[in-house]
Amino acid sequence: MNNMKILHLASFTGNIGDEANHSGFRRKLRENLDMNFTYTDLEIRKFYKSWGLMKFDNSFVHLCNSHDFVIIGGGNFLELCWDYSQTGTTIDISIEMLEKIKRPIIFNTIGVDDGKGISQDNIDKFKVFLDYILDSDKILFSVRNDGSKDILKKYFNDSKLDSVHVVPDGGFFLTTKDFYQVEYDKNKVNIGINIAGDMISIRFGDNYNGFCKNFGNYINTILSINDNINIVFLPHMYLDIRIIGETMEYIEDEYRRNRISIAPLLNGNLNGGQYIFNLYRNMDLILGMRFHSNVCSIGQNIPNIGLITYHKHGYLFDEVGLSDRALFVNDSNFFIDLLSKTKDDLNNLEKIKDRYKVVNKKLNNDLDEFHQTIKRFLEGNEKLLAGDLL
């Protein structure tokens, strides 16, 4: 069992947060299990109806059985809004196909989500799927620490949910190498900003243009009261470039030309996560809208303010005991509170870092414990790990 082949089904091309998630998870798994792993990366978007390149069929089963075991996730793949799917989620796999997989399966820090809509039919379909995987000795099921288990409890009143493990996202455990980064000014106070340009109607309702204008004015105010601040925008995917550009329209031209930069948009296969999240590490304060913007700030002990535009991202702060570090963008006093919090945080950065160190110690212990559960799970499925099934 010391050198194992893993089929890893996940998002690898979504945005640079994917790289942070997988990098941190794989590093810790290797250290905790003291094993060597060879990964076959399988992009889950190939199974999306919109791409239509692969199906959860006999070919997929064959691929699973050609590896020692299968990891699905992390990622927010259990959105309960897809009527076409046999499970109501993007993992559109039948019980028949799951039965044919003769290797252990780990659902790793999966996100469960009802934010894009849910129907009773999808609840019923997902219940069949969930019952099967929770009853199966060959499947280990875990959700990430973003309120996913509480969402399950909303729809399923079942003692089986006690066997659902809640596990920190792998992005908390990201490590980065050093780069020369021109965006960072060591002689100034550096504020990194991640704002998200996808899911516009969900994030902002009818107030997208208002957000861009008001956020631009917030930046004007911050820069006007402190001449030593350097602003770095941190895009995670191409749609972030749009909202950054539209926000910049409302920033004073003098500031745009002298005190603001935009980090490069680097996809995962360009080592983008390493570059961008090392840039995070050099920031004094992060304002983060995306899930992994906040995860990777907290995980590196960088003070951050969560700009919450999606309910589950607020649950993340609740679960790690940092509810006061998040502000909800659609609250009427958001920009007043953001300005006040920014000023206060810049005077208390070391206290915030010390608080994050305590949080991260617990997160590390939680993940270490779950990885011992994985070790016992694999040992209990030793027969499935051995032999040629093809």
Side-chain angles (χ1 to χ4, degrees):
M1 287 178 59
N2 193 44
N3 202 335
M4 306 184 73
K5 294 193 305 178
I6 300 175
L7 178 65
H8 192 174
L9 174 66
S11 170
F12 298 96
T13 60
N15 63 67
I16 62 168
D18 294 334
E19 184 178 340
N21 181 5
H22 304 319
S23 174
F25 162 71
R26 290 180 180 185
R27 178 183 67 83
K28 289 286 288 181
L29 187 69
R30 182 179 66 251
E31 292 174 0
N32 282 330
L33 271 63
D34 192 24
M35 294 180 183
N36 295 316
F37 300 111
T38 301
Y39 290 90
T40 299
D41 295 344
L42 181 58
E43 174 60 53
I44 195 168
R45 283 173 179 77
K46 292 182 177 180
F47 297 85
Y48 284 8
K49 188 176 182 180
S50 58
W51 282 33
L53 299 178
M54 295 183 69
K55 294 182 178 180
F56 292 104
D57 54 15
N58 286 320
S59 296
F60 173 71
V61 170
H62 181 87
L63 187 59
C64 292
N65 288 337
S66 68
H67 291 74
D68 292 308
F69 66 98
V70 179
I71 293 176
I72 301 175
N76 200 43
F77 302 143
L78 298 183
E79 296 174 319
L80 302 173
C81 61
W82 303 109
D83 296 335
Y84 71 86
S85 169
Q86 297 172 82
T87 66
T89 75
T90 51
I91 303 176
D92 183 16
I93 189 169
S94 68
I95 302 300
E96 177 188 3
M97 291 297 118
L98 283 172
E99 289 278 7
K100 291 182 178 181
I101 297 173
K102 302 303 181 183
R103 299 302 194 191
I105 302 170
I106 299 171
F107 285 84
N108 179 54
T109 59
I110 295 286
V112 182
D113 196 346
D114 59 355
K116 294 182 181 179
I118 187 169
S119 67
Q120 185 60 51
D121 187 46
N122 284 351
I123 293 172
D124 294 341
K125 289 188 292 186
F126 185 73
K127 179 67 162 60
V128 174
F129 173 70
L130 186 63
D131 281 344
Y132 176 83
I133 61 179
L134 294 181
D135 285 337
S136 176
D137 292 333
K138 72 177 182 184
I139 300 176
L140 181 65
F141 185 70
S142 68
V143 297
R144 67 188 186 187
N145 56 339
D146 63 350
S148 287
K149 189 166 183 176
D150 288 335
I151 291 174
L152 288 176
K153 289 178 179 178
K154 282 171 59 177
Y155 302 104
F156 310 111
N157 183 17
D158 195 323
S159 62
K160 291 179 184 178
L161 295 182
D162 293 340
S163 64
V164 176
H165 301 270
V166 179
V167 182
D169 184 89
F172 283 107
F173 313 101
L174 170 77
T175 57
T176 63
K177 59 185 179 181
D178 291 325
F179 295 87
Y180 173 67
Q181 296 175 313
V182 296
E183 304 91 345
Y184 164 68
D185 189 336
K186 66 180 180 180
N187 298 312
K188 292 190 175 182
V189 176
N190 293 273
I191 299 179
I193 298 177
N194 166 258
I195 47 179
D198 62 337
M199 301 194 305
I200 292 297
S201 61
I202 293 176
R203 293 184 186 278
F204 305 104
D206 296 328
N207 197 38
Y208 173 73
N209 292 330
F211 171 82
C212 293
K213 179 179 180 179
N214 290 325
F215 197 73
N217 288 331
Y218 154 80
I219 292 174
N220 288 331
T221 302
I222 286 294
L223 293 178
S224 70
I225 63 178
N226 188 333
D227 292 336
N228 200 42
I229 286 178
N230 173 52
I231 298 287
V232 183
F233 281 102
L234 301 159
H236 285 206
M237 65 177 294
Y238 72 97
L239 288 172
D240 296 353
I241 298 295
R242 176 179 64 184
I243 190 172
I244 291 170
E246 293 182 1
T247 297
M248 293 276 276
E249 292 285 337
Y250 298 99
I251 298 175
E252 297 290 340
D253 194 49
E254 178 188 357
Y255 297 150
R256 288 190 304 230
R257 293 178 183 274
N258 295 289
R259 299 177 63 186
I260 294 174
S261 61
I262 303 175
L265 176 63
L266 298 174
N267 294 321
N269 60 359
L270 297 176
N271 208 24
Q274 283 286 316
Y275 184 88
I276 296 300
F277 290 119
N278 185 69
L279 189 55
Y280 270 67
R281 188 160 60 95
N282 287 320
M283 295 292 104
D284 296 290
L285 178 67
I286 298 287
L287 311 184
M289 192 171 287
R290 289 197 175 279
F291 181 80
H292 282 107
S293 176
N294 291 300
V295 164
C296 294
S297 299
I298 296 168
Q300 297 185 99
N301 299 314
I302 305 304
N304 70 317
I305 302 172
L307 311 179
I308 307 303
T309 56
Y310 196 62
H311 64 300
K312 291 195 66 188
H313 302 169
Y315 299 158
L316 167 73
F317 283 86
D318 295 340
E319 290 214 11
V320 300
L322 295 173
S323 300
D324 60 305
R325 301 300 310 157
L327 298 174
F328 287 80
V329 168
N330 289 326
D331 284 356
S332 58
N333 291 327
F334 168 73
F335 285 102
I336 295 172
D337 294 340
L338 178 61
L339 182 60
S340 174
K341 197 170 190 64
T342 303
K343 293 177 182 177
D344 186 62
D345 284 357
L346 292 176
N347 292 318
N348 292 283
L349 294 173
E350 292 305 315
K351 289 182 180 179
I352 300 170
K353 289 180 182 180
D354 288 341
R355 187 178 173 193
Y356 284 15
K357 290 174 184 176
V358 175
V359 169
N360 281 311
K361 183 177 180 180
K362 182 180 185 305
L363 292 173
N364 267 279
N365 289 339
D366 289 346
L367 187 67
D368 291 347
E369 182 177 329
F370 179 65
H371 284 175
Q372 292 308 307
T373 299
I374 289 179
K375 184 176 182 180
R376 292 190 295 270
F377 168 73
L378 293 176
E379 290 171 347
N381 280 280
E382 191 169 0
K383 289 183 179 179
L384 291 181
L385 292 168
D388 184 5
L389 302 178
L390 303 180

